[in-house]
Amino acid sequence: EQIGMKAIEQNVSDIAAMGGLPKYAVVSLALPGSIDADFVGKLYNGINKKSRKYRISIVGGNIARSKEIAVNVAMLGFAEKKYLALRNGAKARDLVFCSGDVGKSTAGLELLRHNLKGKSIKKHLEPQARLSLARKLVKIGINSMIDVSDGVASEVRHICSESKVGALIYADKIPMSKDTINDSKKLKKDALDFALYGGEDFELVFTANKNKLEQLKKFDVKVIGEVVGKKYGIKLIKNNKKYDLESGFDHFKRVRV
């Protein structure tokens, strides 16, 4: 059921990141011949539960035999032109914001990998897309947005690349919960690394003009940096020193943790 729920949530997050609303989805399954029918039933319980939540219609899909289980969701959504949020709209002197708290999903994954317990595990297994928040943000008028699927560092770099700008990100401003910090300590890891270079938090990173700050204060978002000219690069400010902000998760390499 958790797999089914997450398959929908992570796709909804992609639609939310552009200021849109999800509408239709197709689900393709690759399953071993020996698969338990109960597994498939619970998988679809999760898919249907989240589809009802977001008013998404499952309009088709495919099923095939495979040695391993694969669940693939393709989702379609709509965005009004005036609310469409792209990655290429960031402007020098914009503030950089992050919603919620980050690093929790990677902390949860690493706890599972090391057979440890912690509150972050549920955050990894049952993430929540920020669709409602995204819709409110685009109606205020933000300049660019992306969801945190590959770590804050990766998402900031994507926005900077598409917008042809640089950024200063302040390490002490990255929002991390006490649970994430405590669970990271169990792993003898730095929660900041999980937040910057992990992923699957499905929070939102966005930029907005400073004149929007008062309006944005009422939401679950924090200022984590500012947009600067491209010539200044993409930097992490930590302990009053500047470091190059590295890339985040790469789907063809092992996550940097």
Side-chain angles (χ1 to χ4, degrees):
E1 186 172 356
Q2 288 173 323
I3 294 170
M5 292 192 296
K6 187 167 183 175
I8 295 298
E9 289 282 359
Q10 64 186 22
N11 279 275
V12 169
S13 185
D14 281 334
I15 303 291
M18 298 189 74
L21 287 167
K23 185 68 176 176
Y24 305 113
V26 293
V27 179
S28 296
L29 303 179
L31 303 169
S34 60
I35 194 74
D36 189 328
D38 189 49
F39 172 89
V40 180
K42 288 181 178 176
L43 173 71
Y44 262 92
N45 283 346
I47 289 172
N48 290 330
K49 180 179 180 179
K50 293 299 184 176
S51 295
R52 286 193 295 270
K53 173 184 174 181
Y54 294 113
R55 299 181 181 179
I56 296 164
S57 298
I58 306 295
V59 295
N62 189 52
I63 189 167
R65 182 188 290 265
S66 171
K67 290 182 180 180
E68 296 182 346
I69 297 169
V71 181
N72 182 64
V73 176
M75 191 171 291
L76 296 152
F78 297 90
E80 304 92 333
K81 189 174 181 179
K82 63 182 177 178
Y83 296 144
L84 181 64
L86 302 176
R87 301 178 183 184
N88 64 3
K91 298 173 176 60
R93 303 189 73 182
D94 272 5
L95 296 175
V96 182
F97 295 81
C98 181
S99 71
D101 59 275
V102 286
K104 53 188 181 284
S105 180
T106 302
L109 175 60
E110 290 302 308
L111 287 174
L112 288 169
R113 282 177 170 161
H114 291 84
N115 198 29
L116 295 171
K117 294 182 179 180
K119 293 183 179 180
S120 299
I121 289 175
K122 187 171 183 179
K123 300 293 185 181
H124 175 71
L125 296 176
E126 299 182 15
Q128 303 285 327
R130 303 303 302 267
L131 180 64
S132 176
L133 174 61
R135 290 291 292 175
K136 292 171 183 175
L137 295 177
V138 294
K139 289 176 181 178
I140 283 177
I142 59 175
N143 290 336
S144 64
M145 185 160 63
I146 190 170
D147 71 326
V148 183
S149 54
D150 298 329
V152 170
S154 180
E155 314 313 348
V156 169
R157 293 185 70 87
H158 284 316
I159 286 176
C160 288
S161 175
E162 292 295 322
S163 299
K164 296 179 174 57
V165 295
L168 298 177
I169 302 298
Y170 299 94
D172 61 349
K173 300 292 186 184
I174 303 294
M176 296 175 289
S177 72
K178 289 182 180 178
D179 289 338
T180 301
I181 293 169
N182 290 337
D183 287 342
S184 299
K185 288 178 180 176
K186 294 177 190 176
L187 294 156
K188 296 181 172 59
K189 299 289 186 180
D190 186 350
L192 182 64
D193 270 4
F194 288 159
L196 290 174
Y197 308 115
E200 291 203 325
D201 288 310
F202 305 120
E203 293 293 346
L204 301 167
V205 166
F206 63 97
T207 75
N209 189 287
K210 292 178 180 179
N211 64 18
K212 304 289 184 183
L213 183 58
E214 284 303 314
Q215 290 175 275
L216 291 167
K217 281 182 178 178
K218 63 184 177 182
F219 299 120
D220 178 26
V221 301
K222 298 285 191 303
V223 175
I224 63 168
E226 57 187 303
V227 179
V228 296
K230 186 177 181 180
K231 66 181 180 180
Y232 297 106
I234 306 169
K235 303 292 183 179
L236 178 70
I237 312 298
K238 186 177 181 181
N239 299 326
N240 294 318
K241 294 182 180 179
K242 285 185 181 180
Y243 303 89
D244 288 332
L245 189 64
E246 300 176 32
S247 297
F249 181 80
D250 184 322
H251 291 273
F252 296 97
K253 295 179 183 178
R254 180 65 193 272
V255 63
R256 178 189 177 279
V257 293

